[in-house]
Structures are given as C-alpha cells and as structure tokens.
C-alpha cells in the first residue's frame, strides 16, 4: 500500500507543524522552516509535505470527504449515528436553518484545515523559487504541482464558503491580514483557474512517481472550475445566467483529457472503491494514503471513520451517514431499464419486486444484500445504530472490510489507506455531457452518458450472494436516441450524476450549481419528515443555505475585514 510520492520523503519526520493562533497566519514552525531548507532534496520534501496536507483533515474538520457537507446536506443521506444529538453540528447541517457562524468544529475547523494546506503550498512555493533550474531541474514542474494543489484547496473552500480570501506565496503576513473576502464571484474563480492554467502549461503528461499531478489532471480540474463558473450567480446565490463561453471551455478541456487515451472507465464501478484496484485507469488525481510504510500508524484517512456499521461485530462504531429512502427510491428503474423520473418517490421502493440500477448495491447497505463485496456476511438491520430515527440503510462506498489490508482501527474509530479520488474519468465524461446539453447539443451527450450506464449495467460481478443469486433485480439500459431532447437530456444528466456519485458528497454542490437546491431539498424534506420526524423543523432558505457561513472567529480575527455571507 506504499505510494511513491509519500515514500519519497516522509516530511512529517523532518518538519514539526503546529497550529498558530489563527489559520490565516499558519506557517510550518517546527524544527525547520522553509528558510532553513536550501538543498533541492530538502525543498522537494516541502513539496511532498504540500501533497500530504491535502489529506490532513480530520473527522470534525474534513477537507476531502464531503459526506457531511455534500451528502447529508442533500437528499442522498441522513446524518445517522446515535440520534440527533450525536455530533450535533452535522444535525445542524442537515436542518440547514440551525447552522451558525460560531460552530467550532466542522464549519470553523474545515476552514482552518484548508488554509493550513494552502499555507503549506505557499511555503513550498517560496522555497522552490529560491533555486534556479540549474540547481533544481524540476523547478517548473514542482511550481506547477504546488499551484495545482493550492487551487484544489481554494476550489474546495469556494464550494463550501463562496466568499473567500485568496492570496499567493508573495503575500507577507501583513498582506494576508489585509486580504479581504470581497472578491467578486468571477474574480475568485479566475484566480483559482489561473493556478490550474499554470499547471497545465508546466506539468508533464505523465509523472514517474504515482500520486503527482500531471497535465491531464490540471485540465480536468480546470474544466470543473469552468463548469461551476458557467452557472453565474448573483450576490444572493441565485443562478442568473449560464455562460456559453465557459461551457465551450469545459468541452475543449475535457476533450483533451479524453483524447489523451490515458484514462478509461474501469470495467466495474467497484474498482473505484477498493484498495486492490486504486490508481487504476479511471483515477485522474487521488490523495494517496499508506499503511505498513515503516511509520507507527501509517498515513491513514480518518475523515469517514464515523461511517461504519455500528452493530456489525467487526466494526463496533459509529453508524453515521445513513442512505436516505429517497436515494434508494431514485435507483429504481422501469421496464425499459431507465429511471422512474416522475414517480420514483411516490412510495418506498419494494426491492423484492422492483428493478433497480446496479449502483444501488455499490452504495447502500441493505438487509440481506452483499455488503462491500463480502458475500459471506450479508448486511443486517441489526447493524444499524438508530433505525427508529434514521431507518435501516447505511453507507458503503468509502468503507473497507475489517479484513482488508488497508483497514486500521484506532480506538473506536476506523481509518483506511485506500486512496481518495478527487478526479475520475466518469466525472470528465459527465462534465462534457453537461456542457453539450446546456449548449443545445444533446446528441453529443448521449454516448457519453450511455458509457456510464453501460458500465453500471456491467458492474454486478461482485454483488452475487454465496448461492450465486442477487439480492436485487437489476435492469439498467442505455438511453435511446428517440425522445432525447435537450430538456430530457438534462434531466437524465442530473440523474446520472446523482447515481454515479451517490454518497460521495457531490450531490449538494450539483444542486447549488444548477440553481435548484431550494426546490429540490424542500420537496425532499416535505416528503421525508412524514417518516423521519427529526426533519420536522428543517428548511432550506434560498440566498443563505447554499453556502456555509464565514466562521465568526475569522471575522473577529480580521477585525471585521471579512464580510459574512448573506443570511447569517
């Protein structure tokens, strides 16, 4: 499970990083600093530290797992756990109207953890710039990698908080404290895009060490930036225009990635969620994690550590991230193997009689169904921690079996060395399909979406029970060309994104990008609260709940320089 980029130099053994009073003035302040590191080897270690930093979130300050921010805040899942008071901040996120700027963990801690990763990039950028290319032949490549990593963290911050301060490696501590968060939406997107463009211009098409960003990863990420940027929002987060020029950029960028021939869909979607098949043909950029690497506990991912089945004897904790009834219903299909767009949520799915998309059993733990591809121990309702509140479904994609070589238990919490994909080829295909549809070219999107559906239909090999049967009745078919209008194609695209990335944390951000978060989520709540009474007071308010508040601690620290997001 050891990864080249992380095994090159374990920088945590060289530098001791400690948090300063505030995340904005966070700098590595341990035994060594960037000014002490002058050799190419030592400076390369700072670059590795920046790679490590994008995986340095934690369970209550996540920066790569969006289960709380993008899945629980959507119609994909419930908080789960031991009732609404268990990790109450996620319950507040699920209610929308309970989120406040003073929430100390999650809202504040994620902000700080993201800025720590940005600070590591800036420290490394300053150090790399002290060397010339004769001394450090990889200078331009390392600068490009660091700007890619910095842009990744700023992109994540923008999805979460929208109005963020952006500064680069040239900013002094005094400059940082004078940098406001009042950039226009267009200005901040363009600053992030500039880092990715630099990466495109200076990264090689392939890297000798696994885990380093390459040119295609930068192009795919810039496409993602331009896709979000295309849906132009006003100051109240309302989508007021769809910029066709940006959409054309998405097509150009994704075409380059596809034409590279470097990536393809894995034969089985399960390959994206197993350590044995990580860094495969579908993975464009992933955070690398390790176990048994010579260190005490490896470099593990713990951000999903709360989300294992609570009652399962091999785990014992903690039962968070429960799949919603709405999500399960959304997987049902009609006799033609297509989604039940208009009727899917009329009543709870009867999984003994209705046909479903195979991706359901890659996503949700269901009583009597194979859980995480282990057909010797089927998922049981007895594993669910609080079924009276959250129902009997559970999450699965980012969990690993206790028998997996990537699995590690630290006290009651679980970690894994499975890499975390940030960009996959399925996302590239669907980004391009979305751009074509919004440009009035739905015919170009049809084969892209159907590639995804055909792979879903073929992803059943690991879902058989011991007796060779399936717990579900699968029926997934490609869309026909007949009736493939722009309106229908966009509905299909939205559905495909939901199922392809279900519980991975992208759903909420998709709804906000499309400008349909309020109508979708309030309709969801109205239906769900009949059986899920804990949602009785939940309400999504347009113009506020699309984004998290700027942490009050950061506003106070900057003496009011930062302006709060609307509605908080």
């Amino acid at each position: 499970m050891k990864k080249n980029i992380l095994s090159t130099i374990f920088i945590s053994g060289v530098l001791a990083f400690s948090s300063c009073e505030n995340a904005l003035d966070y700098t590595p302040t341990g035994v060594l600093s960037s000014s002490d590191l002058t050799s190419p080897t030592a400076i390369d270690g700072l670059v590795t530290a920046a790679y490590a930093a994008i995986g340095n979130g934690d369970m209550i300050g996540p920066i790569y797992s969006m289960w709380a921010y993008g899945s629980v805040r959507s119609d994909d899942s419930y908080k789960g756990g031991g009732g609404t008071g268990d990790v109450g901040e996620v319950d507040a996120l699920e209610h929308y109207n309970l989120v406040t700027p003073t929430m100390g963990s999650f809202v504040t801690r994620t902000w700080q953890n993201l800025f720590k990763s940005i600070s590591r990039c800036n420290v490394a950028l300053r150090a790399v710039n002290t060397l010339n290319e004769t001394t450090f032949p990889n200078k331009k490549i390392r600068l490009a990698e660091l700007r890619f990593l910095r842009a990744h963290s700023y992109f994540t911050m923008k999805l979460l908080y929208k109005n963020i301060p952006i500064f680069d490696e040239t900013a002094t501590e005094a400059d940082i404290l004078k940098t406001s968060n009042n950039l226009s939406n267009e200005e901040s997107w363009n600053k992030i895009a500039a880092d990715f463009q630099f990466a495109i211009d200076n990264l090689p098409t392939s890297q000798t060490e696994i885990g380093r960003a390459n040119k295609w990863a930068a192009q795919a990420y810039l496409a993602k930036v331009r896709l979000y940027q295309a849906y132009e929002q006003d100051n109240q987060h309302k989508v007021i225009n769809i910029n066709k020029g940006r959409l054309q950029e998405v097509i150009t960028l994704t075409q380059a990635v596809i034409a590279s021939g470097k990536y393809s869909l894995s034969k089985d979607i399960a390959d994206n969620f197993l350590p044995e098949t990580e860094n495969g043909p579908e993975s464009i950029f992933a955070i690398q994690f390790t176990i048994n690497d010579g260190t005490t506990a490896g470099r593990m991912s713990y951000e999903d550590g709360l989300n294992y089945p609570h009652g399962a004897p091999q785990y014992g904790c903690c039962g968070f991230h429960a799949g919603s009834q709405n999500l399960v219903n959304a997987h049902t299909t009609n006799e033609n193997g297509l989604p039940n767009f208009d009727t899917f949520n009329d009543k709870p799915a009867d999984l003994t009689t209705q046909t479903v998309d195979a991706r359901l059993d890659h996503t949700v733990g269901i009583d009597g169904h194979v859980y995480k591809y282990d057909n010797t121990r089927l998922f049981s309702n007895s594993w669910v921690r609080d079924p009276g509140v959250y129902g009997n479904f559970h999450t699965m994609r980012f969990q690993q079996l206790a028998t997996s070589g990537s699995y590690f238990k630290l006290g009651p919490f679980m970690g894994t060395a499975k890499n975390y994909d940030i960009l996959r080829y399925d996302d590239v295909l669907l980004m391009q399909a979305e751009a074509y549809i919004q440009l009035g070219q739905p015919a170009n999107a049809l084969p892209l979406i159907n590639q995804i559906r055909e792979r879903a239909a073929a992803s059943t090999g690991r879902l058989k029970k011991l007796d060779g049967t399936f717990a579900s009745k699968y029926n997934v078919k490609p869309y026909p060309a007949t009736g493939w209008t722009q309106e229908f194609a966009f509905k299909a695209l939205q559905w495909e994104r939901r199922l392809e990335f279900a519980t991975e944390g992208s759903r909420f951000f998709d709804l906000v990008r499309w400008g349909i978060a309020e109508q979708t989520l309030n309709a969801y709540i109205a239906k769900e609260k009949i059986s899920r009474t804990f949602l009785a007071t939940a309400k999504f308010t347009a113009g506020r709940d699309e984004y998290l508040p700027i942490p009050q601690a950061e506003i106070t620290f900057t003496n009011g320089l930062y302006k709060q997001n609307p509605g908080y």
Side-chain angles (χ1 to χ4, degrees), residues 101-273:
T102 56
M103 288 167 63
S105 57
F106 284 91
V107 169
T108 297
R109 192 156 169 155
T110 291
W111 174 286
Q112 293 172 344
N113 283 340
L114 283 165
F115 262 119
K116 288 176 182 179
S117 67
I118 291 164
S119 293
R120 280 207 190 181
C121 290
N122 285 336
V123 165
L125 281 163
R126 286 193 290 270
V128 173
N129 274 319
T130 64
L131 301 179
N132 59 44
E133 290 189 65
T134 302
T135 304
F136 192 34
N138 285 331
K139 177 177 180 176
K140 282 189 177 179
I141 293 174
R142 296 296 182 257
L143 290 174
E145 290 177 50
L146 289 166
R147 291 185 66 171
F148 175 97
L149 296 172
R150 181 173 67 188
H152 158 72
S153 293
Y154 274 131
F155 177 84
T156 304
M157 289 201 76
K158 187 151 180 64
L159 289 191
L160 293 170
Y161 304 96
K162 187 179 182 178
N163 297 308
I164 59 172
I166 296 180
F167 49 86
D168 64 19
E169 73 278 10
T170 65
T172 65
E173 184 174 321
D175 293 332
I176 291 170
L177 293 175
K178 295 176 184 177
T179 303
S180 72
N181 68 330
N182 66 353
L183 291 170
S184 71
N185 215 29
E186 186 77 359
E187 287 172 327
S188 54
W189 279 130
N190 283 338
K191 281 182 175 289
I192 296 168
D195 272 351
F196 283 129
Q197 186 60 57
F198 183 89
I200 291 169
D201 294 340
N202 292 281
L203 285 175
T205 57
S206 63
Q207 297 263 30
T208 57
E209 292 179 306
I210 295 172
R212 292 192 185 274
N214 64 27
K215 178 186 182 75
W216 312 122
Q219 287 187 312
Y221 222 142
L222 181 56
K224 196 158 195 165
V225 170
R226 295 311 194 195
L227 182 61
Y228 274 87
Q229 190 176 8
Y231 293 84
E232 296 175 351
Q233 297 178 353
D234 64 14
N235 291 335
Q236 299 298 312
H237 317 321
K238 182 179 180 180
V239 176
I240 56 174
N241 183 52
I242 300 177
N243 188 309
K244 293 184 177 181
R246 296 299 184 201
L247 293 174
Q248 187 56 57
E249 288 183 72
V250 173
I251 291 172
T252 301
L253 289 161
T254 54
Q255 281 178 339
V257 176
I258 294 168
S260 73
K262 187 177 179 66
Y263 307 101
S264 62
L265 293 177
S266 299
K267 292 182 179 179
D268 191 323
I269 194 173
D271 291 341
N272 292 320
F273 309 110

Side-chain angles (χ1 to χ4, degrees), residues 447-503:
L448 299 168
I449 292 174
N450 279 342
Q451 282 187 58
I452 301 291
R453 292 189 65 76
E454 288 161 0
R455 193 270 294 276
S459 297
T460 60
R462 293 183 174 96
L463 305 179
K464 288 182 181 179
K465 297 192 292 183
L466 274 175
D467 63 6
T469 65
F470 297 103
S472 298
K473 300 178 187 298
Y474 304 124
N475 187 18
V476 189
K477 298 289 174 57
Y479 289 101
T482 303
W484 188 253
T485 64
Q486 183 175 8
E487 181 182 3
F488 184 87
F490 190 54
K491 182 184 290 187
L493 178 281
Q494 291 173 318
W495 216 269
E496 210 60 35
R497 283 198 66 87
R498 185 180 189 187
L499 300 193
E500 185 68 7
F501 307 113
T503 71

